[in-house]
Amino acid sequence: MPRTPLSYDNAGIASVLDEIGDLLELKGENVFRAVTYRAAARAIRDLRSPLKDYMEAGTLESIPKVGKSVKDVIEQLLTTGTATRHEELRAAVPDGLLTLLRVPGVGPSTARTIYDHLKITTIDELEEAAKSGRLRQLPKIQAKTEENILKSIASFRSRTGRSLIVDAQAAANAILEWLQNEATFDRITVAGSLRRWRETIGDIDVLVASADAAPIMAAFTRAPTVERVLANGETKSSVVIDRGLQIDLRVVPLASWGAAQMYFTGSKEHNVRLRGIALRKKLLLNEYGLYRVGEEKTGTPVASRTEEEIYAVLGMEWIPPELREDHGEIDAAVAHKLPALVEVADITGDLHTHSNWTDGRDPIIDMARRARDKGYAYMALTDHSVGLGMTQGLNVERIAARSAEIAKVNRELAPFRVLIGTEVDIRANGNLDYPDELLAQFDIVTASVHSAFSQPRAQMTRRIIGAMEHPLVDAISHPTGRLLEKRDPYDVDMTALIDAAVRTRTRLEVNGGPERLDLPDICVHEALEKGAELVISSDAHRVEELEWMALGVATARRGWTTKKSVANTRSLDEIMGSRKRAER
Ligand code: DGT
Ligand code: CA
Ligand code: CA
Ligand code: ZN
C-alpha cells in the first residue's frame, strides 16, 4: 500500500533503511554499505524526537551513521513518501528473495543460494524443498540449517496476527481522545480483551454511554486514523485503522452502562457462566441489564447501572476484569475469596533496567530520575554481562566505571537508591557469564537465557535450574524466553523450574516488556500455588519504557497475584535482607 507523504514515523523510516540494507546484501553489493544502513536504522530507533524535526532544523547528519546517502533517503521518505534508492533496489531484486530473507535463519547469502539454484520465491516452496531434503544438497547449506528453516516456518505459521497490548493501547487512547474532543457523551471505556489486559489483542472494543448515538458514530468513522469503515450502524460501528487493527464501537444508554460493560468486557466464557448462574435464579442477563425472566422486553431491570450491582444480585463480589476468564474467579467471588490483586501503586521499585552502558538508550541519571519521579524508592540497573557480544556487555573495567557513576547518581538523588545490578547470561553450557567473585560484587543479580534457544528440554531445564542453585542468583528473568508473535518459548519443564525456584528461593520474574510478558499469566498462577516468590520488572531500555511495569503488574494480576508474593512491593531493606545470600 503506498504511503502518504509525512506518514512515516521514526520506526517506519528505520524499517525502510533496514530493508535497503537487506536489498543491498541480496544484490551482492559491498556489505559495509548494508551495515551502514542498518546502523543508521538502529540510531534512528533510539532518537527522542521525530526525524521531521531534524530535517526541518537541517541536522539530520548529526545523527550517528547518517551520511549523505542515508540523509537523502530520509528526506525523500518524509517529503514524497518514497525513496529513489529504495525503489531502484526493489526493482533490481526479485520479490521472492525478500520473502525468503524474512524467514528467521535465512540470511542474504542463504537466500541467494536457494533462489539461484531452486528458483524458490514463496514460503510454501521453501518448506517443500526443506522437507524433501533438497536444501541441504545446495552449496554451503547444512542439514542443521535446513532443520532450522523448517522450525522457523512452523513458528511463522503459528502466529496469530493479534496485536501487542501496547500497540492496541496506543490506538485505543488515540481514538478515545479523538472522541472526547469531537463528541459529547456520558461515559467512555475500553472493553473486551484490552480491559482484561490479555497479552495480545484481537480487536479493540470501545463502549460509550449516550442517549444520542448518531453524532458519536459520525465522529468515530471520520477519525484521522481510520483507513476503512467495515460497518456503520445506528449504535454499532467497526473500522480498521492504519495499523491494520479493528476497532468496534458500541453506544448504549447510560442506564445500561454496567450491563453493557460486563457484556462487552467478556470474556465470552466468563459471560456464559454468569448467564447460567442468572438463569438458575430465574434471571436473564444481557447487555442491557439483569431482568426477571419474561420481563426483559418490557420491564425495568433488577440491576443494570453498575457492574457491582449486577454481580451483587448474582450473589458475588465484583470481579476485576483481569480475572474474567472462567478460571475459577466466579466460584471465588461467590465465596468472597477473590484475591486482593497487586496494584501498580504497591510497587516500590524496579529490579530490571538497562542503561546506555550496554544496550539501553539512556544514561543512568535519566533512568534514575524517571524512576524516582514515578515514586519508586530504588531501581536496579541490570546491564548485560560480557558474553552477550551483540550488546557490548560489561567487562571488569567497565563494571567498575559504571559503579563509580552509580555512586555519583546516588549521592545526587539520595535517598533514592540505584542498585548495582547485572543481568548475567546463562551460557549454553549452564555456566554463568561472570565468575563468582565478580558476581558477589553486585547488589542484585538476575540471570537469563539469551542464546542456544533450541536446546533439548532436559538440557534447557537443567541449565536454568543450575543457575537457580547458584547462591548469588536472586532471580531468573523472562523464564520462558518467548517473544509474542515472534519467537516461541524454548522447550523447558516449567513445573520443574517452579519447583526449583521454591526450593532454592530464587525469584521468578514477571517481565513487563510488551513482547515478553514472561512469566505468562498461566505460569504465574502455577508459580503462586506452589509458593514461589515473584519480582515484577519493566526491563526498560529507555526512560519511557519504565512504564512497562504496568504491563508486568497486569500479567501478574491475571495470574491472581497478591502483594505479598511480589518482592518489589517491599522496602529495599527487606528485599536485600531476604536475598538468598543473606542467609549464608
Ligand atoms: P479479542 O478481541 O479476540 O482479543 O477478545 P475479546 O474478548 O475482546 O473478544 P471480542 O472482541 O470478540 O468480543 C468482546 C466481548 O464481547 C467479549 O469478550 C464478550 C462479548 N461478546 C462478543 N461476542 C459474544 C457472544 O457471541 N456471546 C457473548 N456472551 N459475548 C460476546
Ligand atoms: Ca476485542
Ligand atoms: Ca470486538
Ligand atoms: Zn534485560
Side-chain angles (χ1 to χ4, degrees):
M1 197 182 314
R3 285 189 175 251
T4 46
L6 298 172
S7 77
Y8 273 107
D9 59 6
N10 290 5
I13 290 190
S15 307
V16 175
L17 294 174
D18 273 336
E19 189 168 294
I20 292 177
D22 292 345
L23 290 164
L24 284 168
E25 230 174 312
L26 287 173
K27 231 180 131 216
E29 285 196 22
N30 185 338
V31 301
F32 293 107
R33 284 246 188 86
V35 169
T36 303
Y37 277 93
R38 293 199 190 107
R42 200 171 319 129
I44 286 166
R45 288 198 175 89
D46 279 352
L47 292 178
R48 289 155 181 251
S49 26
L51 281 167
K52 195 156 84 58
D53 294 354
Y54 285 87
M55 181 175 76
E56 282 161 7
T59 54
L60 278 172
E61 280 180 274
S62 71
I63 300 166
K65 310 291 170 189
V66 176
K68 169 95 177 63
S69 54
V70 177
K71 175 177 156 246
D72 284 348
V73 170
I74 297 172
E75 287 184 338
Q76 288 179 24
L77 287 174
L78 284 175
T79 48
T80 69
T82 57
T84 326
R85 185 86 176 110
H86 185 223
E87 300 297 309
E88 282 168 2
L89 281 164
R90 287 209 70 151
V93 175
D95 276 351
L97 262 178
L98 263 184
T99 308
L100 295 185
L101 194 65
R102 296 277 138 80
V103 178
V106 177
S109 78
T110 307
R112 191 86 245 180
T113 306
I114 294 171
Y115 181 80
D116 288 348
H117 289 81
L118 303 175
K119 293 281 169 280
I120 281 174
T121 59
T122 67
I123 305 284
D124 285 345
E125 290 166 356
L126 182 67
E127 185 173 31
E128 182 50 43
K131 278 195 177 142
S132 59
R134 279 186 292 142
L135 295 184
R136 68 179 72 183
Q137 289 159 15
L138 302 177
K140 286 188 281 180
I141 296 187
Q142 280 147 21
K144 187 85 196 152
T145 311
E146 192 176 74
E147 284 165 29
N148 286 339
I149 288 174
L150 274 177
K151 275 193 197 150
S152 303
I153 294 175
S155 108
F156 203 70
R157 294 213 197 286
S158 73
R159 276 178 219 167
T160 61
R162 296 171 65 86
S163 298
L164 296 180
I165 190 167
V166 274
D167 295 333
Q169 280 177 334
N173 289 341
I175 204 80
L176 256 56
E177 199 185 324
W178 169 261
L179 289 174
Q180 265 145 1
N181 289 329
E182 297 288 315
T184 49
F185 43 77
D186 299 314
R187 300 271 162 80
I188 190 163
T189 184
V190 296
S193 51
L194 197 51
R195 181 161 179 242
R196 304 197 311 278
W197 294 80
R198 258 193 78 175
E199 60 196 24
T200 57
I201 305 299
D203 66 20
I204 297 171
D205 303 281
V206 177
L207 193 62
V208 169
S210 170
D212 188 9
I216 298 159
M217 290 296 154
F220 178 59
T221 50
R222 68 163 194 271
T225 49
V226 168
E227 222 152 59
R228 229 156 12 107
V229 177
L230 299 175
N232 190 359
E234 267 171 40
T235 60
K236 50 181 174 184
S237 296
S238 292
V239 300
V240 174
I241 56 163
D242 47 15
R243 300 162 200 239
L245 255 163
Q246 182 177 329
I247 308 182
D248 294 343
L249 173 75
R250 224 4 226 264
V251 179
V252 298
L254 186 58
S256 304
W257 185 242
Q261 263 187 299
M262 273 172 79
Y263 185 91
F264 293 107
T265 296
S267 65
K268 201 168 161 184
E269 294 72 16
H270 176 88
N271 290 352
V272 165
R273 286 265 340 254
L274 286 185
R275 281 204 301 274
I277 289 172
L279 279 178
R280 266 174 265 140
K281 297 181 189 289
K282 303 222 174 349
L283 296 168
L284 189 133
L285 180 62
N286 63 26
E287 64 258 62
Y288 300 104
L290 185 60
Y291 298 86
R292 269 180 284 273
V293 171
E295 295 182 4
E296 65 270 15
K297 290 274 188 303
T298 51
T300 37
V302 183
S304 66
R305 286 196 165 264
T306 69
E307 291 190 335
E308 284 82 355
E309 289 169 38
I310 298 168
Y311 278 114
V313 175
L314 293 175
M316 60 189 87
E317 291 178 74
W318 178 82
I319 300 175
E322 294 93 327
L323 299 185
R324 299 184 193 173
E325 300 291 346
D326 191 24
H327 288 164
E329 75 281 5
I330 292 175
D331 291 340
V334 169
H336 291 272
K337 289 210 169 109
L338 280 175
L341 299 178
V342 64
E343 292 177 16
V344 170
D346 295 327
I347 300 295
T348 51
D350 199 330
L351 291 173
H352 183 171
T353 71
H354 298 269
S355 73
N356 62 358
W357 280 83
T358 55
D359 60 346
R361 183 193 65 186
D362 293 320
I364 297 171
I365 183 74
D366 294 6
M367 295 293 287
R369 280 213 182 98
R370 179 70 73 96
R372 182 198 58 182
D373 294 348
K374 280 176 68 63
Y376 292 162
Y378 59 87
M379 174 190 98
L381 206 58
T382 49
D383 282 312
H384 290 288
S385 61
V386 76
L388 282 175
M390 298 257 302
T391 53
Q392 316 154 325
L394 293 177
N395 59 27
V396 181
E397 294 78 45
R398 296 186 69 239
I399 290 170
R402 191 189 68 143
S403 298
E405 189 175 317
I406 290 176
K408 192 163 150 262
V409 168
N410 278 333
R411 281 193 295 278
E412 193 179 329
L413 300 187
F416 181 85
R417 172 96 181 275
V418 180
L419 299 175
I420 300 174
T422 181
E423 177 176 4
V424 68
D425 197 33
I426 309 170
R427 291 183 192 159
N429 65 8
N431 289 342
L432 296 179
D433 206 21
Y434 285 138
D436 290 359
E437 57 277 18
L438 198 53
L439 281 180
Q441 293 174 22
F442 291 97
D443 298 324
I444 201 129
V445 174
T446 191
S448 43
V449 166
H450 291 108
S451 61
F453 298 114
S454 50
Q455 280 180 348
R457 182 179 179 90
Q459 192 181 358
M460 184 61 93
T461 307
R462 257 198 326 273
R463 178 178 173 191
I464 299 175
I465 292 179
M468 291 181 177
E469 284 166 345
H470 195 292
L472 292 169
V473 170
D474 299 299
I476 300 293
S477 280
H478 42 77
T480 78
R482 71 169 180 183
L483 292 179
L484 290 165
E485 298 294 301
K486 227 185 231 170
R487 186 174 75 207
D488 290 337
Y490 36 71
D491 195 6
V492 72
D493 181 346
M494 187 45 73
T495 302
L497 288 195
I498 291 170
D499 289 340
V502 175
R503 174 170 56 80
T504 62
R505 301 191 51 252
T506 308
R507 291 165 183 150
L508 291 173
E509 180 183 69
V510 182
N511 187 300
E515 287 190 321
R516 292 195 182 273
L517 303 178
D518 184 7
L519 286 179
D521 47 19
I522 294 171
C523 303
V524 168
H525 201 250
E526 183 182 354
L528 292 175
E529 290 200 321
K530 296 206 158 136
E533 182 160 294
L534 305 176
V535 51
I536 307 178
S537 307
S538 71
D539 198 359
H541 286 65
R542 305 159 172 226
V543 286
E544 63 271 21
E545 291 173 1
L546 287 165
E547 300 308 323
W548 289 349
M549 180 64 79
L551 303 178
V553 170
T555 303
R557 287 168 64 87
R558 288 179 55 82
W560 294 53
T561 304
T562 60
K563 184 177 167 181
K564 72 168 184 0
S565 301
V566 182
N568 55 321
T569 58
R570 301 184 201 128
S571 72
L572 183 55
D573 284 347
E574 283 173 274
I575 293 168
M576 301 303 268
S578 60
R579 289 175 308 169
K580 283 186 231 172
R581 65 178 98 165
E583 291 201 336
R584 307 202 133 223

